[in-house]
Amino acid sequence: MRLENRIALITGAGRGIGRAIAERYAREGALVAVADLDRASADDAVAAIQATGGTAMAVVMDVTDEQAVEAGVASVVNNWGGLDIALANAGVQHIDPVHKLAYSDWRKVLDVHLNGAFLLTRAALGQMYQRGGGSMLYMGSVHSMEASPLKSPYVTAKHGLLGLCRAVAKEGAEHRVTSNIICPGFVRTPLVEKQIPEQARELGISEDAVIRDVMLKHTVDGEFTTLDDVAELAVHLAAFPSAALTGQSVVVSHGWHMQ
Ligand code: NAD
């Protein structure tokens, strides 16, 4: 097992990519805090992990709420004695062209991705510095490297996370904290399922055409990235034993973006 007894907290882990990583981390021996806005899905993910013999706890928190994030991290430390891995994964999407985008929608997307990642980072680093090391991880996207129409706040936020990840890699080094960002292509989670009809409507094309000609057009094989693909990378980054791998963005996208 590659993460035996490591203590991990993952935001947005009630469903989708975060949940897949939480389940994989638990199978690799980690104690996993499933943090989510939605209590029912967090409880469900915890029950699924416990049913397979893993160790997990639910942390109900909104990543944009400063007090809630501080309290959520503190509850993990009180329960298990520390924090080794923190993954800022919670995310939302909003589809609109820039000229019609409401300021409130712009702010909401940036708030969850960027401010949420900052709040988790600050709370987690306090613990990791005391403990003498750790792994900060961020959920970026191919949209950390590329732009697509109709997704300006998301693209902006995902580009911004590269900066936070790199700044943390520099500051964290003397405390043996590494910082890396995972950049997936399209994965069929609820977040993406919702976009398919929305984009079809905005672009005036069929849903099949959105998948084939928009989402997967630039992949090498016309395939979606899978939850397993992303979870495997998340284990690799968290388990990597030295600062040889820090400040890096790793793209897992079936060749959509090559760097
Ligand atoms: P999802 O919508 O399936 O899951 C997101 C989870 O985040 C949900 O459980 C939701 O309750 C939680 N969440 C949302 N706002 C929150 C908040 N303020 N506080 C706490 N929890 C909150 O999404 P997903 O596809 O699993 O995406 C997870 C991450 O992966 C996001 O950062 C997303 O941008 C990124 N990503 C997704 C894809 C993809 O194709 N699905 C590709 C690249 C990157």
Side-chain angles (χ1 to χ4, degrees):
M1 290 202 277
R2 290 179 287 174
L3 298 175
E4 195 145 23
N5 295 326
R6 303 276 297 278
I7 300 164
L9 182 150
I10 304 170
T11 65
R15 70 176 199 197
I17 291 176
R19 177 167 176 159
I21 295 173
E23 292 181 355
R24 177 70 76 89
Y25 274 14
R27 284 206 297 281
E28 294 286 351
L31 289 69
V32 185
V34 174
D36 208 287
L37 192 59
D38 182 43
R39 178 182 295 278
S41 64
D43 286 343
D44 191 63
V46 166
I49 289 170
Q50 289 172 340
T52 57
T55 304
M57 66 182 276
V59 177
V60 179
M61 71 187 201
D62 179 340
V63 296
T64 67
D65 178 335
E66 184 174 8
Q67 256 87 53
V69 175
E70 293 287 335
V73 168
S75 71
V76 175
V77 173
N78 288 339
N79 211 21
W80 289 330
L83 183 66
D84 301 305
I85 303 163
L87 169 55
N89 167 80
V92 291
Q93 178 59 281
H94 184 86
I95 302 292
D96 250 329
V98 180
H99 71 289
K100 287 189 191 162
L101 184 61
Y103 185 34
S104 56
D105 290 327
W106 166 268
R107 280 202 302 211
K108 162 86 184 169
V109 176
L110 264 63
D111 203 20
V112 175
H113 289 274
L114 280 182
N115 298 337
F118 160 68
L119 291 174
L120 177 70
T121 302
R122 192 181 60 182
L125 287 184
Q127 297 301 328
M128 290 175 184
Y129 287 0
Q130 270 185 37
R131 206 164 159 82
S135 170
M136 263 319 301
L137 295 171
Y138 300 91
M139 191 54 67
S141 164
V142 166
H143 285 112
S144 300
M145 321 279 168
E146 306 245 357
S148 292
L150 310 178
K151 295 184 178 173
S152 57
Y154 185 84
V155 168
T156 304
K158 291 302 193 191
H159 276 66
L161 284 175
L162 291 176
L164 178 60
C165 169
R166 291 169 183 159
V168 171
K170 297 243 173 181
E171 288 187 17
E174 65 180 291
H175 304 279
R176 300 176 60 80
V177 171
T178 58
S179 169
N180 291 291
I181 178 165
I182 300 165
C183 296
F186 282 105
V187 184
R188 287 199 91 152
T189 65
L191 180 133
V192 161
E193 294 297 345
K194 181 170 168 284
Q195 284 172 54
I196 297 171
E198 286 174 354
Q199 291 215 36
R201 236 183 349 264
E202 282 286 344
L203 298 171
I205 57 178
S206 71
E207 294 189 13
D208 280 350
V210 169
I211 293 172
R212 191 186 56 241
D213 302 332
V214 179
M215 291 182 162
L216 304 180
K217 182 175 179 190
H218 297 292
T219 60
V220 295
D221 52 8
E223 297 281 342
F224 278 98
T225 302
T226 66
L227 293 171
D228 273 352
D229 292 332
V230 182
E232 176 58 32
L233 176 59
V235 171
H236 176 72
L237 290 175
F240 198 83
S242 79
L245 193 53
T246 195
Q248 300 306 305
S249 47
V250 185
V251 180
V252 54
S253 71
H254 286 251
W256 167 12
H257 180 84
M258 299 188 188
Q259 53 178 0

